[in-house]
Amino acid sequence: MAVTDEAIEKIKGMIVSGALRPGDRLPKESELAAELGLSRNSLREAVRALSLIRILDVRQGDGTYVTSLDPQLLLEALSFVVDFHRDDTVLEFLAVRRILEPAATAMAASRISEQQLDALANQLDKLGDDPSVEELVACDLEFHRGIVQSSGNSVLCSLLDGLSGPTTRARIWRGLTQEDAVSRTLREHRAILAALRDRDAEAARSWATVHIASVEQWLRSTL
């Protein structure tokens, strides 16, 4: 194992074991290197790597701290990696969304408040019946994010946020090239919202599946 990888594993072990907790300050570099049996250089490289993926927070002049380890913070790295996707992998991202998003939508049916439902309805009303493709896709992202946030699962929400980039491009392509894409998307949004108002988890799940599958089906036919 490379010395930097070994250093990363040792720091990870301290966090996983509870020796270092969220918000804790790491010991001084010289002390921690001696405690873990590492060179100060390998420890420094490990700290740099762990700060890039938001495990550690290096504060100049103050020290290095364990972050909150909140799922949303940790999964930001996923969004960065996803941005390097190739066009031929978009279908795989859509397939993952087709698994996760309907499940999150079903979970939201029993949790989403009337106030949140009203806010989603107002969002659709403001969009109107003939929005531009860009307006529709921006609304689509916010519409689904609002629903997923109501699922009560921050990990699921962060995962879907991280996967939004490639699927956003696919929806723009579809909106520009498929004649009924805009009106169909609006109808599907209204159907999802109606199912949520009825607290019908299975109907909400089904409509969310249809919504994503229609984009996936269109994309398969164009590739």
Side-chain angles (χ1 to χ4, degrees):
M1 183 184 294
V3 289
T4 301
D5 292 339
E6 182 185 2
I8 289 171
E9 284 299 315
K10 288 186 174 182
I11 297 173
K12 175 185 171 184
M14 293 181 71
I15 295 172
V16 171
S17 70
L20 285 172
R21 297 181 178 278
D24 282 356
R25 180 177 176 174
L26 271 63
K28 290 181 180 178
E29 186 180 271
S30 56
E31 296 174 6
L32 186 58
E35 180 184 342
L36 297 178
L38 301 167
S39 70
R40 292 178 68 171
N41 187 57
S42 62
L43 176 61
R44 201 172 294 129
E45 290 297 320
V47 167
R48 185 177 293 116
L50 289 169
S51 67
L52 286 173
I53 57 172
R54 312 304 293 274
I55 302 293
L56 298 178
D57 178 19
V58 180
R59 305 175 189 173
Q60 292 298 327
D62 187 20
T64 300
Y65 292 79
V66 181
T67 67
S68 66
L69 302 180
D70 181 78
Q72 187 170 4
L73 182 70
L74 299 181
L75 287 168
E76 283 181 6
L78 172 65
S79 181
F80 178 79
V81 172
V82 164
D83 283 340
F84 290 98
H85 77 282
R86 303 186 311 274
D87 287 346
D88 60 353
T89 63
V90 174
L91 276 169
E92 294 181 14
F93 285 110
L94 278 167
V96 174
R97 287 191 73 93
R98 184 156 49 86
I99 294 167
L100 297 180
E101 197 162 297
T105 304
M107 290 167 65
S110 63
R111 296 170 178 265
I112 194 166
S113 69
E114 289 297 326
Q115 185 177 8
Q116 289 169 312
L117 288 168
D118 289 342
L120 291 173
N122 288 336
Q123 189 180 53
L124 295 180
D125 290 341
K126 285 182 181 177
L127 193 63
D129 295 327
D130 190 27
S132 68
V133 171
E134 290 77 11
E135 289 172 336
L136 178 67
V137 172
C139 176
D140 188 78
L141 283 172
E142 289 305 311
F143 181 81
H144 292 290
R145 182 178 289 119
I147 293 171
V148 173
Q149 285 174 343
S150 298
S151 72
N153 189 312
S154 60
V155 173
L156 191 52
C157 188
S158 296
L159 280 171
L160 285 166
D161 259 355
L163 293 169
S164 65
T167 57
T168 296
R169 288 180 59 187
R171 290 178 184 192
I172 291 173
W173 295 339
R174 179 188 179 220
L176 290 172
T177 59
Q178 190 177 38
E179 187 176 344
D180 66 339
V182 172
S183 59
R184 184 172 179 177
T185 298
L186 291 172
R187 287 197 303 271
E188 290 164 354
H189 280 179
R190 294 287 183 188
I192 292 169
L193 185 57
L196 291 172
R197 281 203 185 277
D198 290 340
R199 307 296 173 180
D200 189 335
E202 287 311 308
R205 184 199 305 272
S206 297
W207 275 111
T209 302
V210 167
H211 185 56
I212 298 167
S214 64
V215 181
E216 189 178 355
Q217 183 181 37
W218 164 82
L219 188 57
R220 284 186 189 281
S221 70
T222 63
L223 291 179

